[in-house]
C-alpha cells in the first residue's frame, strides 16, 4: 500500500489523517560543516569560515608564531594545517563572492601570514599592502585561492557527480553567476 506524503500550509508533513510531523522553515542551517542559507547567500558561510579561522589562530599565535626555534616555513606548515584549512573549507563550492567578501577573506588570511612574513599588520591596512605580504609569503590572494579550489575540485565533480547534477550545471551555464560560468572564467 502506497502512502502519500504532502506538506500542508501550516508547514506540517502529513502522512495520513492521524499522523503528521511539524517542521520549521529556517533562514540557514549547517549541513556537513557548511552554512547553507535559504536565499543562497554566501555571507553566513564566509562569516563561519572566518570565525573558525580566527579561533584556530589563537593557539598558533601563542605556541607557534612566537617560537624562535621554528623556521618561518615550519610555522607556515602549522598554520596551513591547523587554521587555513578552516578558512578555505568547501571553497570549491562557493558561489560568486562580492568584493567585500573577498577583502574579508584576505584580511583573515593576513592574520596568519603577517606574523610569518615579519610584517606588523593591522586591520586598517590597504589592499596593496595585503598583496605585498601575500606575495612575500608566496600565497595567492583570496579570489585566486577560491579559483584554485574550484579547479582542484573539477576532476572529482566530472568523475563522481550524478547525471542530473551535470545536466543542471550544463543547463545553467549561460547564467553569469552559475558554477560552470565561474569555471570557464577560472580556466581563462
Amino acid at each position: 500500500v502506497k502512502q502519500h506524503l504532502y506538506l500542508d500550509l501550516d508547514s506540517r508533513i502529513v502522512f495520513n489523517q492521524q499522523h503528521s510531523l511539524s517542521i520549521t522553515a529556517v533562514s540557514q542551517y549547517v549541513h556537513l560543516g557548511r552554512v547553507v542559507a535559504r536565499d543562497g547567500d554566501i555571507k553566513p558561510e564566509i562569516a563561519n569560515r572566518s570565525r573558525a579561522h580566527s579561533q584556530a589562530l589563537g593557539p598558533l599565535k601563542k605556541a607557534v608564531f612566537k617560537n624562535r626555534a621554528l623556521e618561518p616555513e615550519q610555522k607556515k606548515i602549522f598554520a596551513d594545517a591547523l587554521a587555513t584549512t578552516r578558512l578555505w573549507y568547501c571553497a570549491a563550492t562557493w558561489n560568486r563572492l562580492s568584493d567585500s567578501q573577498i577583502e574579508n577573506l584576505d584580511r583573515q588570511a593576513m592574520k596568519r601570514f603577517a606574523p610569518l612574513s615579519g610584517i606588523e599588520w593591522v586591520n586598517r591596512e590597504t589592499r596593496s599592502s595585503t598583496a605585498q605580504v601575500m606575495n612575500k609569503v608566496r600565497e595567492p590572494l583570496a579570489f585566486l585561492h577560491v579559483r584554485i579550489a574550484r579547479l582542484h575540485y573539477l576532476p572529482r565533480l566530472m568523475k563522481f557527480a550524478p547525471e542530473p547534477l551535470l545536466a543542471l550545471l550544463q543547463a545553467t551555464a549561460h547564467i553569469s553567476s552559475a558554477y560552470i560560468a565561474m569555471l570557464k572564467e577560472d580556466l581563462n
Side-chain angles (χ1 to χ4, degrees):
V1 175
K2 259 189 181 176
Q3 287 193 344
H4 297 281
L5 301 176
Y6 66 91
L7 186 64
D8 69 10
L9 296 176
D10 295 324
S11 296
R12 291 181 308 151
I13 298 176
V14 179
F15 301 101
N16 56 39
Q17 292 182 355
Q18 290 105 8
H19 297 72
S20 67
L21 172 70
S22 294
I23 61 170
T24 304
V26 295
S27 60
Q28 66 186 39
Y29 62 96
V30 176
H31 178 72
L32 299 175
R34 180 167 185 236
V35 177
V36 179
R38 178 176 28 186
D39 61 1
D41 190 6
I42 194 75
K43 282 182 189 175
E45 176 62 8
I46 299 294
N48 187 42
R49 297 287 108 227
S50 296
R51 192 170 33 260
H53 180 254
S54 291
Q55 288 171 348
L57 281 177
L60 285 173
K61 287 178 182 175
K62 293 176 186 172
V64 175
F65 293 165
K66 292 181 180 179
N67 187 333
R68 292 193 173 129
L70 293 173
E71 295 293 324
E73 192 60 33
Q74 292 171 316
K75 293 177 183 182
K76 185 178 172 191
I77 290 169
F78 272 108
D80 281 343
L82 301 174
T84 307
T85 52
R86 292 180 179 208
L87 183 61
W88 299 117
Y89 177 74
C90 284
T93 62
W94 292 351
N95 54 353
R96 193 173 302 278
L97 301 174
S98 69
D99 288 343
S100 65
Q101 291 165 335
I102 290 170
E103 287 176 20
N104 180 26
L105 288 167
D106 279 334
R107 274 194 304 277
Q108 287 300 318
M110 288 298 298
K111 288 180 183 178
R112 171 177 67 110
F113 289 120
L116 297 176
S117 67
I119 295 175
E120 185 68 32
W121 186 82
V122 294
N123 286 337
R124 294 182 303 277
E125 292 287 335
T126 64
R127 189 127 170 89
S128 62
S129 63
T130 300
Q132 289 171 349
V133 171
M134 298 304 268
N135 188 38
K136 185 173 181 178
V137 293
R138 297 182 309 277
E139 281 290 321
L141 290 167
F143 79 98
L144 290 173
H145 216 299
V146 173
R147 291 175 80 174
I148 291 166
R150 252 193 315 267
L151 291 171
H152 182 73
Y153 184 68
L154 182 59
R156 287 187 300 182
L157 178 68
M158 298 308 295
K159 184 173 182 177
F160 299 112
E163 288 298 320
L165 176 59
L166 294 175
L168 176 65
L169 291 173
Q170 186 175 9
T172 60
H174 67 283
I175 301 170
S176 66
S177 62
Y179 194 79
I180 293 294
M182 291 187 295
L183 277 172
K184 286 179 184 176
E185 289 174 16
D186 296 341
L187 291 168
N188 289 331

